[in-house]
Amino acid sequence: MLEPSPQSPNYLIPPLLLPPPPPPSPLPSPPLEPPPPSPTPTKPNPSNPFLSLISKRPSLRVTSEFDSDTRVFFHKVSCKLFDNLAKLKLSFINNNKRKISEPQLALTSKYLSIHYDPEEQNALIKSSFDVGPMLHFKSSHDVKAQQGEVAMIANLADPSYAVEVSSPIPYVGLPKATIRFPMGEVTLEEREEEEVLRTLSINGILKGPILNGLCAAHYIDKELKLRYSYKDGAMSFIPSILLPSNALSFAFKRRFSPSDKLSYWYNLDSNYWSAVYKHTYDKDFKFKAGYDSEVRLGWASIWVGDENGKAKTAPMKMKVQFMLQVPQDDIKSSALMFRVKKRWDIL
C-alpha cells in the first residue's frame, strides 16, 4: 500500500502576497466643540396645574338677537375661563337709538355663581355643593335686599325618593319641607294671610297610570286641577277640570304623518278655542299656522333653525323666524315680524 507523500508547496500557483502596510495616520486633530443646543419652546409645567389653567387662551362667544316687534338688539358676550371651570357672561340691550340698557354681568361655576346688576348696583350670589354622597346643600343671597334662602336636600337609597328642607334668611317661621317620591311630591309651608294667624298650607302633585293613560292631580293654593292624558302613536286626548270653579277644558292632538301635526284646545267655561297646524320639513325648517279666538288673531310663522334649540346647533349658527299676524277685526293692520339670532365664535 502506498503511503501518502508529505504535502509540498505547489509552485504552479503563485504564493499569496500580504497587503502593504497602511500609511501612517496623520496627527489627530483637536475635537470639534459640539453645537449649542437649539432652544426648545417653553411649555407649562404639568406638575403645576395653576400654570396650565392660566396659560390656555379663553374661548370667546358673541350672540346677538334682533326682534322687529320691539326693535331692540339683545347681545351676549361669554367666555370660558380656567379650562372651562368658570364662565364669564356679559349681556345688554341696545335699542334703535343706540342706547345701552339693562347690563348684566355673571360669573358662574359648578359650585358658585355671581350675578351683578350695574344699574341697580346689586348682586345675587348662589352656591351649590354636595356635603356627602346623599346630601346636597344650596343657598342664595340678595346683597341689596339682605335676603336669601338656604336648603338641604337628602336623597334616600332610591334616587326617586328625596326630602328637601329650606328656610328664608332672615329666619321667619317654620322651614319649608318638600317630600318627593315616584308618584309626585308634597310640600308643607307656613304662610301668613291677612287677618289670620300663620297657618300651615299643603301643596302637592300626585300622578299615576289609569285606563291606558296618565292621571295627575295638582293641589295648589286651595285649588285642585285634575288632568288626564291619553296618548298613542298618532293621537293625544287631554281633558282637565279645575275645582271648585268647575272650569272644564280639553286638548286634542292628531299626528297625520311624521311631519304633520294638528293641535286643538277648547275651554268649555269661556268658549274660547285655538288651533295650531305644524309641518316640519326637517330638523332646521318648520312651518306653523294657527288661530286664537280669545284675541281674535290668526297667524303663521316659519322657523329656520331648531325652534327649541340653540343658535350653535343651527346652520351657520343662525336662527330666523318670520311671523305674519292677521287680526280678525282689522285685516288692514296685519303685521309681518321677524326675529334673528346669530352666534359668532371669535376664539
Side-chain angles (χ1 to χ4, degrees):
M1 184 175 60
L2 297 178
E3 295 181 0
S5 60
Q7 294 181 357
S8 59
N10 190 356
Y11 292 102
L12 296 178
I13 301 175
L16 297 175
L17 300 177
L18 296 175
S25 61
L27 295 176
S29 58
L32 298 177
E33 296 181 359
S38 59
T40 57
T42 59
K43 297 181 180 180
N45 187 3
S47 62
N48 193 338
F50 179 75
L51 293 179
S52 62
L53 291 179
I54 63 177
S55 61
K56 187 175 182 180
R57 180 182 299 177
S59 57
L60 188 63
R61 306 288 183 262
V62 179
T63 304
S64 298
E65 184 175 355
F66 176 74
D67 190 346
S68 65
D69 187 21
T70 58
R71 297 185 179 182
V72 297
F73 286 90
F74 177 76
H75 303 283
K76 183 177 67 174
V77 183
S78 62
C79 66
K80 295 182 179 180
L81 306 173
F82 308 118
D83 197 15
N84 298 338
L85 292 180
K87 184 178 182 180
L88 182 64
K89 181 175 67 175
L90 172 65
S91 61
F92 58 92
I93 294 177
N94 190 6
N95 58 16
N96 53 1
K97 297 181 181 180
R98 299 182 180 180
K99 183 180 178 181
I100 296 177
S101 61
E102 300 183 17
Q104 299 286 332
L105 184 64
L107 177 64
T108 59
S109 63
K110 182 178 180 180
Y111 303 105
L112 178 67
S113 64
I114 302 174
H115 299 264
Y116 180 70
D117 188 347
E119 292 183 348
E120 298 291 336
Q121 295 185 356
N122 187 24
L124 179 63
I125 304 174
K126 296 182 179 180
S127 62
S128 175
F129 55 89
D130 293 330
V131 180
M134 301 174 60
L135 196 62
H136 184 75
F137 173 85
K138 63 180 182 180
S139 65
S140 62
H141 179 69
D142 191 321
V143 175
K144 192 173 184 179
Q146 294 296 313
Q147 294 179 354
E149 185 183 46
V150 293
M152 295 287 290
I153 304 173
N155 296 319
L156 303 181
D158 189 341
S160 58
Y161 292 88
V163 178
E164 178 180 351
V165 179
S166 61
S167 176
I169 298 176
Y171 173 77
V172 178
L174 297 176
K176 175 182 175 182
T178 302
I179 303 173
R180 299 185 179 92
F181 46 93
M183 296 183 62
E185 64 179 39
V186 177
T187 301
L188 304 177
E189 183 179 8
E190 190 179 29
R191 292 186 179 182
E192 184 177 359
E193 301 178 356
E194 296 181 358
E195 300 179 357
V196 180
L197 298 177
R198 300 185 67 88
T199 58
L200 188 65
S201 65
I202 300 177
N203 298 327
I205 300 175
L206 294 176
K207 56 185 178 180
I210 296 178
L211 299 177
N212 297 327
L214 181 65
C215 184
H218 300 250
Y219 183 77
I220 300 175
D221 296 334
K222 298 181 181 180
E223 287 187 345
L224 177 62
K225 182 178 181 180
L226 300 177
R227 182 175 182 267
Y228 177 76
S229 177
Y230 171 80
K231 296 182 180 180
D232 60 13
M235 185 188 69
S236 300
F237 180 69
I238 309 173
S240 63
I241 185 172
L242 185 62
L243 301 175
S245 62
N246 295 329
L248 180 63
S249 63
F250 71 88
F252 175 79
K253 300 180 181 181
R254 179 73 165 87
R255 183 176 293 277
F256 301 97
S257 66
S259 59
D260 295 278
K261 183 179 180 181
L262 176 65
S263 302
Y264 178 80
W265 293 268
Y266 182 72
N267 192 324
L268 281 74
D269 184 48
S270 61
N271 289 331
Y272 290 140
W273 62 274
S274 63
V276 175
Y277 169 75
K278 180 175 67 174
H279 179 78
T280 304
Y281 292 92
D282 55 26
K283 178 183 177 182
D284 298 316
F285 193 82
K286 182 186 299 182
F287 170 77
K288 298 173 68 175
Y291 176 80
D292 192 337
S293 66
E294 183 176 2
V295 294
R296 300 175 65 85
L297 179 70
W299 57 272
S301 67
I302 296 176
W303 277 97
V304 180
D306 190 2
E307 179 181 0
N308 300 319
K310 296 183 178 180
K312 67 178 181 180
T313 60
M316 298 185 297
K317 297 184 179 181
M318 182 174 65
K319 294 174 57 177
V320 183
Q321 180 195 14
F322 296 94
M323 174 175 282
L324 175 64
Q325 292 185 350
V326 182
Q328 182 177 351
D329 300 329
D330 189 5
I331 299 179
K332 294 182 179 180
S333 62
S334 303
L336 177 62
M337 300 174 291
F338 65 92
R339 182 182 301 173
V340 182
K341 187 175 183 180
K342 170 67 176 174
R343 166 174 163 161
W344 292 272
D345 296 337
I346 298 178
L347 296 176

